[in-house]
Amino acid sequence: KAGVTQTPRYLIKTRGQQVTLSCSPISGHRSVSWYQQTPGQGLQFLFEYFSETQRNKGNFPGRFSGRQFSNSRSEMNVSTLELGDSALYLCASGSSGSYNEQFFGPGTRLTVL
Amino acid sequence: AQSVTQLDSQVPVFEEAPVELRCNYSSSVSVYLFWYVQYPNQGLQLLLKYLSGSTLVKGINGFEAEFNKSQTSFHLRKPSVHISDTAEYFCAVSELLQGAQKLVFGQGTRLTINP
């Protein structure tokens, strides 16, 4: 079974621009979660989607948004980029149920200049 | 809200020595606990998990962890480390909200193995 794939792996943007990151979960997984990893704040939960519905959202401004498609692929969008948005963005996929083990992708490294 | 504290930000040890990475969590309800490892420029890989049952959990690469409810701890151990264990290790607790699970992570412990 193929793992979680994230594209692109690296991205450089300038302040004020917007960016879209993509995540393809493991085949059969319907849950996709997004996390932001920075040296200062560590790993923080952004949001989780299940069957195209956002079920849970972390404490991030409205500039961070996401969606999930019918094939479970997910995208996250960050608008009006700020320097502090530079981070590794990790996507995790899981199956259904009250507990679902989360499998992480390699991440997208976003640098905002 | 649940929180996780990893007591050491960096742990240097010599190759073949034992190691313990400490993790404490705050929760008043049943918890699921995890240890993940992150190698440079990679995502997170699950080392082991505690869902229920035996408090001693064995994982991959020779790691194990012990769940201690009274101490609210979930320390990770390995009896003999190898250079390839050099990585960052994250302890996490699962928080359930509206039927959805999210992971709350500690700040991470950087394990450095010296020859």
Side-chain angles (χ1 to χ4, degrees):
Chain A
K1 224 181 217 186
V4 179
T5 57
Q6 292 187 247
T7 56
R9 290 293 312 277
Y10 301 91
L11 208 46
I12 299 176
K13 292 285 187 179
T14 55
R15 276 181 299 175
Q17 287 187 307
Q18 77 163 23
V19 67
T20 299
L21 313 181
S22 180
C23 171
S24 292
I26 291 170
S27 177
H29 284 187
R30 293 162 63 190
S31 166
V32 174
S33 300
W34 289 89
Y35 294 83
Q36 182 197 63
Q37 184 178 23
T38 60
Q41 299 298 316
L43 280 151
Q44 293 186 288
F45 173 78
L46 279 155
F47 27 65
E48 189 251 5
Y49 287 87
F50 183 85
S51 293
E52 301 179 66
T53 300
Q54 187 183 87
R55 294 197 299 187
N56 205 351
K57 190 177 188 324
N59 207 16
F60 279 81
R63 300 185 297 107
F64 292 81
S65 62
R67 59 177 176 168
Q68 187 180 33
F69 302 95
S70 58
N71 62 358
S72 294
R73 190 178 70 85
S74 176
E75 289 181 347
M76 69 162 279
N77 185 78
V78 188
S79 62
T80 320
L81 283 166
E82 300 177 0
L83 294 179
D85 297 333
S86 294
L88 181 66
Y89 290 89
L90 292 165
C91 161
S93 85
S95 55
S96 58
S98 60
Y99 163 69
N100 63 82
E101 182 171 330
Q102 298 197 10
F103 297 84
F104 283 81
T108 293
R109 171 78 60 189
L110 171 65
T111 302
V112 182
L113 302 176
Chain B
Q2 298 185 17
S3 66
V4 176
T5 302
Q6 290 184 242
L7 296 152
D8 307 292
S9 59
Q10 294 188 65
V11 173
V13 295
F14 287 106
E15 196 172 13
E16 297 183 10
V19 71
E20 178 180 82
L21 307 184
R22 298 179 293 167
C23 171
N24 284 94
Y25 66 92
S26 72
S27 175
S28 58
V29 298
S30 298
V31 291
Y32 299 145
L33 292 158
F34 310 85
W35 276 99
Y36 284 87
V37 60
Q38 186 176 36
Y39 299 103
N41 298 315
Q42 293 188 29
L44 301 175
Q45 181 183 6
L46 182 66
L47 273 178
L48 48 79
K49 59 182 182 272
Y50 172 79
L51 304 182
S52 65
S54 173
T55 57
L56 183 62
V57 180
K58 293 192 183 297
I60 62 170
N61 301 343
F63 283 93
E64 63 180 35
E66 183 145 23
F67 169 62
N68 188 320
K69 189 174 180 179
S70 62
Q71 309 246 347
T72 60
S73 68
F74 190 55
H75 300 334
L76 181 71
R77 301 186 184 101
K78 186 169 182 178
S80 175
V81 295
H82 189 263
I83 290 279
S84 59
D85 292 323
T86 296
E88 187 138 24
Y89 292 78
F90 293 92
C91 180
V93 63
S94 174
E95 185 172 287
L96 278 176
L97 263 174
Q98 300 166 355
Q101 175 191 259
K102 78 172 191 182
L103 293 172
V104 177
F105 288 92
Q107 285 295 99
T109 297
R110 186 169 300 276
L111 177 62
T112 305
I113 313 299
N114 299 305

